[in-house]
Amino acid sequence: MLSPRLLLLRSAASLGSRSFCAGAASKQGRAPDMVEVRNRLREIVGASTNWSDHQQAMAERVSLSSMLASSQQDLPVKRMKDSYLEVHLPLGSQPQLREKYLTFHNTVRFGRILEDLDSLAVLISYSHTYNSALKRSPLSIVTALVDKIDMRQHIIYPDCDIKFSGRVTWVGRTSIEAKMHMSQYRDGAYAPVLDATFVMVARDPENKRAAFVNPLKPDGPEEEKLFQEGEANKSRRVELSTASLLKVAPTDEERKIVHSLFLNTLDTNTVSFRSRVLPPDSVWMEDAKLKGLEICHPQERNIFNRIFGGFLMRKAYELGWANACSYGGCRPSLVAVDDILFQKPVEIGSLLLLSSQVCYTQGKYIQVRVHSEVFDPLTRQHSTTNVFHFTFISDRDVPSIIPKTYGESMLYLDGKRHFNQTVES
């Protein structure tokens, strides 16, 4: 079986004589595959495919610190067209590529799509920061947040070609927002499948401190609108963080919701605070969990010798999907991915614990939260690395999820917030 090819159709960014596009085309005119995409990323940072050599290569990147800009003003202004990439996944025209992406039910594994989106977002960001005078980039660009993935259609066909496109639409001093779109060729035309917004951060060669990225200048009303959307997204993220239930008490309306849930579970025969009764067609939140464990092997590393963020997203999505499937009693469809926060990198060799929780339901909708943490068996310490939020829809109404403790009530309210944000956007 050939490795899956992610074909680069066009890049508006000029990457010079060592261009990804030119280098790929030089191989007997064949378009590049996904292996070559990742090889290009390794080339950009000077990484190696060999585990032992890779460790040495990462140590040698320390010397690149002198190439970092001392301020953003020292870097040339870039345009959105400089980072534009268009990528093709020929599942239809090249059937031999399908197996890696195929599910048992003859659909496309969305976890694999998440991996491809993550790789594309990194390459888009490096296209924005490209400097033809440097052989290797001193920047370590990593995914900080998946702000939003909105599904435009629920079914992704395994026998139809897929096209990805994306560009940088907003930058801060050390952060980059990349917007990507995915469409699929069917009935003679490409139809939209999803829209995704990733937030990347640039760090020094050792991936220890923030580094400046090139400023971005919008060109025309359409690009100005995209840039302002990026500013609004940043402000919204700050507001959500400030209002987090981990920091402040629920609103008056939310407190009434929690109290109403409590009253609906009281045993009318005993009228006791301790005696709780599950309402009809409901499930206690504590009974709607699914957990998993991953041993993080070197095979799943990224170009910076940490575990690949796309791999983490795939594993979290698949666990969340399985939980939603078990809860609803049928195969759910993904509606949206919301606010995936990468709090801490996952090191090679880690024991990664994944815990999925159905935290909110409404009609046919199932809101699932997946929490990932690294467990150190020597110190017995747990450290949160990621939190994932997925909204699924079933083909039938699902049972109501009912919290029992105060902590579960906060999970319920947090899930409701994420669900409302999804349906309102």
Side-chain angles (χ1 to χ4, degrees), residues 274-292:
R274 292 186 178 183
S275 183
R276 308 283 292 277
V277 176
L278 185 65
D281 195 26
S282 300
V283 176
W284 289 121
M285 188 176 284
E286 63 183 6
D287 297 325
K289 297 178 180 179
L290 200 59
K291 297 186 178 183

Side-chain angles (χ1 to χ4, degrees), residues 153-300:
Q153 68 178 37
H154 297 316
I155 299 175
I156 306 176
Y157 300 94
D159 56 352
C160 298
D161 287 357
I162 288 174
K163 181 172 67 175
F164 298 91
S165 62
R167 56 182 169 174
V168 171
T169 54
W170 175 88
V171 299
R173 297 175 64 203
T174 62
S175 57
I176 294 172
E177 181 183 273
K179 283 190 180 294
M180 295 167 287
H181 309 280
M182 173 180 153
S183 56
Q184 189 163 41
Y185 191 80
R186 189 169 175 81
D187 298 328
Y190 276 98
V193 175
L194 65 79
D195 303 315
T197 303
F198 280 48
V199 178
M200 321 299 287
V201 291
R203 303 181 69 81
D204 68 0
E206 297 181 84
N207 200 8
K208 291 184 177 180
R209 60 183 180 86
F212 295 108
V213 299
N214 299 70
L216 179 67
K217 183 177 181 180
D219 185 11
E222 180 184 350
E223 292 190 1
E224 185 64 40
K225 181 181 177 182
L226 288 172
F227 191 85
Q228 291 304 320
E229 287 177 1
E231 291 283 359
N233 288 339
K234 178 186 177 183
S235 299
R236 172 178 52 81
R237 289 192 292 268
V238 172
E239 291 175 4
L240 290 175
S241 176
T242 303
S244 170
L245 292 168
L246 294 172
K247 299 178 181 178
V248 297
T251 64
D252 289 341
E253 180 183 354
E254 289 174 332
R255 284 194 284 267
K256 291 178 181 178
I257 291 173
V258 170
H259 191 63
S260 176
L261 288 168
F262 170 72
L263 293 177
N264 289 337
T265 61
L266 285 179
D267 188 343
T268 56
N269 294 323
T270 62
V271 195
S272 167
F273 284 105
R274 292 186 178 183
S275 183
R276 308 283 292 277
V277 176
L278 185 65
D281 195 26
S282 300
V283 176
W284 289 121
M285 188 176 284
E286 63 183 6
D287 297 325
K289 297 178 180 179
L290 200 59
K291 297 186 178 183
L293 167 67
E294 293 292 332
I295 301 175
C296 299
H297 297 291
Q299 181 183 11
E300 308 301 342

Side-chain angles (χ1 to χ4, degrees), residues 8-160:
L8 183 65
L9 295 181
R10 181 171 71 249
S11 170
S14 174
L15 298 182
S17 60
R18 303 174 71 247
S19 166
F20 172 60
C21 202
S26 66
K27 294 191 176 184
Q28 302 177 351
R30 179 176 59 82
D33 59 23
M34 190 58 189
V35 172
E36 290 167 324
V37 170
R38 289 174 179 161
N39 283 344
R40 174 55 186 154
L41 288 173
R42 293 188 187 97
E43 184 183 356
I44 289 172
V45 301
S48 172
T49 56
N50 182 280
W51 170 237
S52 57
D53 292 343
H54 187 69
Q55 291 177 299
Q56 178 62 29
M58 290 297 96
E60 293 174 354
R61 277 182 58 79
V62 177
S63 63
L64 300 177
S65 296
S66 60
M67 301 178 183
L68 293 172
S70 57
S71 71
Q72 191 175 42
Q73 288 69 34
D74 295 335
L75 296 168
V77 175
K78 296 293 186 74
R79 303 296 182 107
M80 291 187 187
K81 65 180 181 181
D82 295 328
S83 60
Y84 180 81
L85 293 176
E86 195 171 284
V87 173
H88 186 215
L89 181 64
L91 298 181
S93 55
Q94 297 186 22
Q96 70 271 26
L97 306 179
R98 295 176 192 162
E99 186 168 314
K100 182 179 179 181
Y101 289 81
L102 193 63
T103 72
F104 173 76
H105 298 280
N106 201 36
T107 58
V108 171
R109 295 174 61 182
F110 189 74
R112 293 295 187 191
I113 299 299
L114 288 174
E115 291 182 330
D116 290 345
L117 286 171
D118 196 43
S119 295
L120 180 59
V122 175
L123 191 56
I124 287 172
S125 300
Y126 272 118
S127 298
H128 174 78
T129 60
Y130 175 72
N131 183 347
S132 60
L134 301 179
K135 182 179 179 181
R136 294 177 181 175
S137 174
L139 298 176
S140 298
I141 298 179
V142 296
T143 306
L145 175 74
V146 178
D147 187 72
K148 193 76 172 176
I149 299 178
D150 288 317
M151 302 301 298
R152 305 282 292 276
Q153 68 178 37
H154 297 316
I155 299 175
I156 306 176
Y157 300 94
D159 56 352
C160 298

